[in-house]
Amino acid sequence: MINSLSILIPTYNNVCLELVKSLQAQAAALPDFEYEILVADDGSTDRLTIYENRKIRSLPYCRYIEREKNVGRAAIRNFLAEEALHPWLLFIDSNMQVIHPQYLTTYLQSEESDVIYGGYQIKRNDEKYQHNLRYIFECIGTQNADYKQRQANPYGDFHTSNFMVRQDIMLQYPLDERFITYGYEDVLWGKTLQENQIKILHIDNTLGYENFIGNMSFLYKTEESLRTLNQFKEELQGYSKVLDYALKMKRWHLYPFCQKLYPLLSLSIKARLTGNKPSIFWFNIYKLLYYIHLDRNI
């Protein structure tokens, strides 16, 4: 059983005080267990959020580190790994919720592996979120909560939202800090682990997720991630369904046609996606057309 752990939480404009409290309570209840909880604020701009998160400093074995400049999702996690005191690291996104009373114990008693991913599950409320595109999208991704599905594709179904890793592995293979904008830094890290034969073990130890931003905001985040994908397309080939379908369009000589379709259809599809009846089918069509619209150099 692992007897010491650094719990690392990157955050940006998100209050995570309750998350830290729940983790600290579980850690404090474990006998002969050494721990720390480090929260690194990646240049948040919301003063009320910063004020609330500063209360973390009053909790035992907890630190709240304020960074003036936003360095991105990859660099802030690398920073936390370097700051950590213990040989095992547990990374948790600040918008997650602890939903299992034995969450930490499950990790500490799990089969040893270089990297262990616990997954996440959404809080279902179909009536409340029936018009929310992000919610509908997350409901389709059943593998996030099903560790057996994830283990069938261990490197492709990995996210940085809830995973434990040996510190020496994280320091030897840090996240790629060229990823400044949103998206795909975890995908490339999964590829790096696979190429270096570093095992990922998927277990049933989910965190809760209930952060369903509005449809327009989600669409903007999706477009940002697709711009990131386009920037790193050569390295991410084979690790993205969008790239796979784009390659098929190219092979079928449909790229020029799709590039002409985007300006004709984009506004009507966006109106559908941001309205009261968003469709995952049209969401996938929009992603592909938007990516091909970006990818004018192929």
Side-chain angles (χ1 to χ4, degrees), residues 37-276:
I37 301 177
L38 305 184
V39 179
D41 185 293
D42 193 18
S44 288
T45 56
D46 185 81
R47 303 313 300 175
L48 181 59
T49 294
I50 296 171
Y51 173 79
E52 289 297 315
N53 280 337
R54 283 175 178 168
K55 297 176 184 179
I56 291 168
R57 293 170 176 160
S58 67
L59 301 173
Y61 303 103
C62 295
R63 277 201 288 159
Y64 175 63
I65 306 168
E66 294 180 47
R67 308 261 289 179
E68 293 184 1
K69 180 181 178 182
N70 181 276
V71 295
R73 293 160 56 88
I76 196 66
R77 285 168 173 79
N78 292 341
F79 166 76
L80 281 165
E82 293 168 356
E83 286 284 311
L85 299 177
H86 298 296
W88 281 95
L89 315 177
L90 175 58
F91 281 92
I92 299 174
D93 280 359
S94 64
N95 57 3
M96 293 293 173
Q97 302 170 350
V98 177
I99 56 176
H100 299 304
Q102 299 299 313
Y103 170 73
L104 288 182
T105 300
T106 299
Y107 263 127
L108 300 175
Q109 294 181 346
S110 64
E111 176 188 342
E112 187 167 329
S113 180
D114 297 323
V115 180
I116 305 171
Y117 177 50
Y120 66 90
Q121 65 185 74
I122 67 168
K123 185 177 180 180
R124 297 295 295 258
N125 191 332
D126 292 347
E127 182 177 356
K128 181 178 180 180
Y129 295 115
Q130 60 181 312
H131 307 307
N132 187 279
L133 180 60
R134 179 63 186 267
Y135 175 79
I136 298 169
F137 173 78
E138 292 292 346
C139 286
I140 290 176
T142 56
Q143 76 279 2
N144 294 318
D146 189 333
Y147 75 100
K148 292 181 180 179
Q149 286 189 46
R150 287 188 270 109
Q151 193 63 64
N153 183 26
Y155 300 96
D157 283 331
F158 170 81
H159 302 280
T160 54
S161 55
N162 173 25
F163 76 101
M164 191 167 70
V165 58
R166 290 193 351 236
Q167 186 185 38
D168 60 313
I169 293 290
M170 192 70 190
L171 295 179
Q172 185 176 0
Y173 303 103
L175 290 161
D176 193 325
E177 295 188 8
R178 293 176 300 161
F179 284 74
I180 303 297
T181 55
Y182 177 78
Y184 289 96
E185 77 286 341
D186 50 356
V187 178
L188 185 59
W189 198 61
K191 177 185 176 183
T192 299
L193 297 182
Q194 185 173 25
E195 290 175 342
N196 289 278
Q197 299 181 333
I198 296 169
K199 180 182 177 183
I200 298 180
L201 174 66
H202 290 257
I203 65 172
D204 183 14
N205 197 27
T206 53
L207 289 169
Y209 179 76
E210 188 183 11
N211 184 34
F212 309 118
I213 58 177
N215 292 352
M216 185 62 77
S217 296
F218 181 50
L219 209 55
Y220 285 149
K221 295 294 284 185
T222 299
E223 291 173 351
E224 183 181 1
S225 72
L226 291 170
R227 293 193 294 270
T228 302
L229 177 63
N230 182 249
Q231 182 181 354
F232 296 98
K233 60 188 176 185
E234 300 299 331
E235 290 152 283
L236 292 169
Q237 198 69 55
Y239 288 80
S240 161
K241 290 182 179 179
V242 172
L243 288 181
D244 291 343
Y245 283 113
L247 184 59
K248 289 181 179 180
M249 295 298 103
K250 181 185 177 185
R251 288 172 176 168
W252 296 340
H253 305 290
L254 292 174
Y255 238 69
F257 175 70
C258 290
Q259 287 178 332
K260 292 177 181 178
L261 275 182
Y262 177 78
L264 296 175
L265 299 179
S266 60
L267 290 179
S268 61
I269 297 177
K270 288 178 76 170
R272 178 188 289 265
L273 294 176
T274 56
N276 290 330

